[in-house]
Each structure stands twice: as structure tokens, then as C-alpha cells.
Amino acid sequence: MSKRSPHKYRYRSRVNHCKLHCNCSKMETFVDAPKLRAEFMKVLRSRRSNEVPLSVELAKPVVDPMYQGSSPRPLFSEAMESCPKENIENFKDLLREENLYLITEASEQGRLPVLILSMKECKNQRKPAIVFLHSTHRSKEWLRPLLEAYASRGYIAVAIDSRYHGERASNISTYQDALVLSWKKGVTMPFIFDTVWDLIKLADYLSEREDIDPSRIGITGESLGGMHAWFAASVDTRYAVVVPIIGVQGFRWAIDNDKWQARVDSIKSVFEEARVDLGKEAIDKEVVEKVWDRIAPGLASQFDSPHTVPIIAPRPLLIINGAEDPRCPLEGLEIPISRANEVYREASCSENFKMIAQPGIGHQMTPLMVKEASDWFDKFLN
């Protein structure tokens, strides 16, 4: 018998497929938002094992988190440690930590580890919540400095392990192995999309908690986590304020303009496997396109940034990138940024959209980015 969470919970999927509640006539020029969300949900469901009612199990804190890659132990993160926080006496004693699992589907990876930090308070009051998403090869525990900083300021701070990361990994190559297997068999979508499914289920859970205001749920992430935040918000409107950090890019633009190398190098093993299978001497644009179509169908076509970034409107959206980031080239964002600006302007809420490209910064989260994200959430969630 599963141990139930102490919070009142009942399963209900409420992904909003309605049209935007604003005068967004220009949206139809770019994309039919309800249709695109429905198409995305169809793709997400196409590779589920068996859908099951969402359930909750209590868990224990992770003592020794799994970090993958060639440098498995994480370095100190100056950026995260710089996050604005309240100076609270006896902070550790007043901090509430919850560890739990959400069962999001009937598969080994359908067990979603969740870490939640908040302040112990007597008054019964619904608070804003923010979901934080880690980068490649990290885990939810890596995000703890951010979680503690936001909790000190009155937020309920939530982190998860992405698919094949953290508690969902068995060794330092689990994620890379899953990508290769996805290319070989095409039965899972370990790059972005499977975790987006988990984030929809997470929104089901968070919106039913008695201590969370369901109209004030934010989402953010770094790198891979930034991509997770972007796509989850595009398909699920319950994520009310959105801040992807060094994650938003143009996948189709990169293929067409021969700027795909840096992104490919970040998960190169799957592209090398595809190169061999396709009889190529080197990874080229054809290999890249075929891999994306296989492991994340639609990533470089109907679900790419020119289509999915604008449908986040009219919700507050802050995109933060490095101006010199080779994985997220600014030139590849000209069309999605232009379209988003027009949609937000048509909705009479231009102040709800902002793009920051920090000069001289590559693929790196900086203290400035952390501060800008913090200010954005304080502005729109408090």
C-alpha cells in the first residue's frame, strides 16, 4: 500500500485547451494555440506505457545524489548561491522539507521524485509556488540553494529529477544510454518530452494542494531545465509565470544555418550512434534532423520555438540567454521573439514579455540571470 501525502489530493487533469483570454487576433497568423497544444499532447501520449491515475508516495531525503557525465561531482554554483534570500534567524529550523514520489505512468521511469521546500508557518494561507528544473546530468538536490532562497521569501519551492537523472538514474551514463535506446527503438522520448509529461502531472498535483494558490504557479530551469520549462508552459497554461534560462533556441534554424554543432555535442553519443546506423562518415544536418524526429518528434518543426514561444502569451514570460551562447544562438531566436512581441502587444500586455541576452556570456547561468529571474517572479507572483 502506498503511503499517501498528508496534503489533500484528488486526480484531475486540467490542461487548458481553450483559446487565449485576450485579443490575440495575430496569433492565428502564427499558430492555432489550442490545436498545437492538442497535437503536442497527442505526441506526448503516443509513447506512454499505460496511463494510470496519479498517486503520491512519501519518500526519504537523498543523502548522496547521482550526478552523471565525465565530471559527476558538481562544482559550487556562484550563480545559485547569489539568489536573493531573506535573513531569517534559525532558518534551518523553520524550513519544511518534503520528499515524495508522483506516479505519472506505469513504467520504471514513471516514478517522479519531488523535493519541496517551504517555511513552517501557523497561518493557513495559500502561497505561490515555483518549479525549478536542473540542467543535464544534475539532479533536484543540485538546486537546493535556489529552493532555500525562494522558500525564505515565502514561496513553495519545488524541484524534480528529470527523466533518467538523479533518483531515476542507476549509473553515470543512464541519460546518454536512454537517448541511444530512444534512437534505436523509438519507444521513449528522454530528451525533453517525457519530462514535459511529468510536469503536466506535477501541475495536477500542485494545483490541488491546500497550501498552494493554483493561479500562482511559476516554472523555471537552467539549460535542459530551461527547455523543460519552455515546453511545459507552452502545453500547460497552469504554469502562470515562465522563466527559461539558457534553454530557448531555434532547432530548425540551427539545422538550416549549420549552427547545430554545440547542441549536438552536449549529447553526442546518440548522434554518433545515428551516424553509424545511417552509414555516414561524419555527423551532418541529415543525421541531426533524423535524430530529433526520432527522439523528440516535432522538435524541429511544429513544436519549435517560432510556434511554442508565442502561445505562452499572455502569461508573463522572461527568456534569459547568454548573448554568445553557441547552443542557443541569438540569430535563431529572431522569429520567435518577433512573433512573441507582436502577440503580447496585441494582447495589450507587452510588459509581460521580456528577452534578456547577457553580453559576453556563453552557455552559462550567471548571478545576473538568477537576479533577473527572481525579480520577475516577485513582480508577477506576489
Side-chain angles (χ1 to χ4, degrees):
M1 179 70 68
S2 300
K3 295 181 179 179
R4 304 295 292 183
S5 165
H7 294 279
K8 179 182 178 182
Y9 175 78
R10 63 181 183 279
Y11 175 72
R12 182 171 69 204
S13 181
R14 298 189 302 181
V15 176
N16 187 353
H17 295 292
C18 299
K19 291 187 180 293
L20 296 171
H21 298 294
C22 62
N23 181 23
C24 295
S25 59
K26 290 289 184 181
M27 177 65 76
E28 296 301 325
T29 304
F30 306 138
V31 64
D32 183 333
K35 181 180 179 182
L36 184 62
R37 291 193 182 104
E39 289 174 351
F40 198 3
M41 286 298 299
K42 184 177 180 181
V43 169
L44 295 181
R45 282 199 161 97
S46 69
R47 298 188 189 180
R48 296 308 102 212
S49 47
N50 284 315
E51 290 191 44
V52 296
L54 187 63
S55 59
V56 185
E57 298 177 8
L58 298 182
K60 296 180 179 179
V62 175
V63 176
D64 188 19
M66 168 71 75
Y67 297 105
Q68 301 180 61
S70 57
S71 300
R73 302 306 298 180
L75 301 174
F76 171 81
S77 173
E78 177 187 0
M80 285 195 285
E81 293 288 350
S82 72
C83 188
K85 58 180 70 71
E86 292 293 327
N87 185 14
I88 299 175
E89 189 176 354
N90 300 324
F91 173 70
K92 296 294 185 181
D93 294 332
L94 297 174
L95 188 66
R96 175 186 290 111
E97 176 175 336
E98 300 173 66
N99 291 271
L100 54 91
Y101 299 111
L102 299 183
I103 310 305
T104 66
E105 65 175 289
S107 71
E108 181 183 353
Q109 285 292 318
R111 187 180 177 88
L112 173 65
V114 184
L115 170 62
I116 304 174
L117 297 186
S118 60
M119 300 302 295
K120 299 174 184 176
E121 292 183 353
C122 296
K123 53 186 177 182
N124 186 13
Q125 178 181 343
R126 289 181 181 265
K127 297 180 180 179
I130 300 177
V131 176
F132 297 83
L133 300 157
H134 61 75
S135 54
T136 302
H137 295 154
R138 305 300 192 188
S139 73
K140 62 186 183 301
E141 286 75 26
W142 166 248
L143 297 165
R144 192 173 186 99
L146 290 178
L147 303 182
E148 291 189 358
Y150 275 82
S152 77
R153 306 202 325 263
Y155 292 94
I156 294 178
V158 183
I160 68 168
D161 284 329
S162 300
R163 295 281 175 130
Y164 306 97
H165 287 77
E167 294 185 69
R168 305 167 102 176
S170 57
N171 57 61
I172 62 171
S173 65
T174 296
Y175 179 50
Q176 299 289 342
D177 295 344
L179 293 169
V180 171
L181 187 62
S182 178
W183 162 257
K184 292 288 191 182
K185 296 189 175 181
V187 295
T188 60
M189 296 181 287
F191 187 65
I192 304 177
F193 287 2
D194 282 344
T195 297
V196 170
W197 174 263
D198 291 333
L199 289 167
I200 293 170
K201 298 300 183 179
L202 179 65
D204 285 336
Y205 169 72
L206 296 178
S207 63
E208 295 294 344
R209 281 180 59 125
E210 295 178 340
D211 57 346
I212 290 177
D213 181 346
S215 69
R216 292 190 292 162
I217 300 175
I219 189 168
T220 186
E222 172 195 4
S223 191
L224 176 64
M227 290 186 270
H228 289 150
W230 152 28
F231 282 102
S234 72
V235 74
D236 193 332
T237 59
R238 290 172 297 182
Y239 289 111
V241 181
V242 189
V243 186
I245 301 174
I246 61 172
V248 179
Q249 61 214 263
F251 288 93
R252 180 76 253 167
W253 181 93
I255 293 172
D256 292 342
N257 292 274
D258 198 33
K259 298 290 186 180
W260 45 264
Q261 292 83 358
R263 171 54 61 200
V264 165
D265 285 346
S266 68
I267 49 172
K268 196 168 185 177
S269 58
V270 63
F271 293 94
E272 279 293 339
E273 193 77 19
R275 176 192 67 77
V276 173
D277 291 347
L278 295 171
K280 297 273 190 173
E281 293 186 1
I283 299 172
D284 59 17
K285 63 187 298 183
E286 181 185 359
V287 173
V288 174
E289 186 163 10
K290 286 184 179 296
V291 169
W292 291 147
D293 285 346
R294 181 73 163 170
I295 72 173
L299 183 67
S301 52
Q302 70 263 42
F303 306 133
D304 201 0
S305 54
H307 311 296
T308 47
V309 167
I311 68 171
I312 294 175
R315 290 166 288 156
L317 168 63
L318 171 62
I319 297 173
I320 310 177
N321 281 2
E324 312 302 327
D325 190 344
R327 297 187 191 178
C328 306
L330 286 186
E331 301 93 329
L333 292 180
E334 289 180 2
I335 292 177
I337 297 304
S338 174
R339 291 181 175 181
N341 274 322
E342 190 164 357
V343 171
Y344 278 90
R345 187 168 55 249
E346 286 289 318
S348 299
C349 59
S350 294
E351 69 281 2
N352 284 11
F353 176 65
K354 187 177 181 180
M355 165 72 184
I356 295 175
Q358 187 174 352
I361 298 298
H363 195 70
Q364 173 190 359
M365 186 170 74
T366 68
L368 174 65
M369 295 176 180
V370 170
K371 179 63 164 58
E372 292 285 354
S374 175
D375 290 346
W376 192 260
F377 285 124
D378 285 351
K379 177 180 179 180
F380 289 103
L381 285 182
N382 281 331

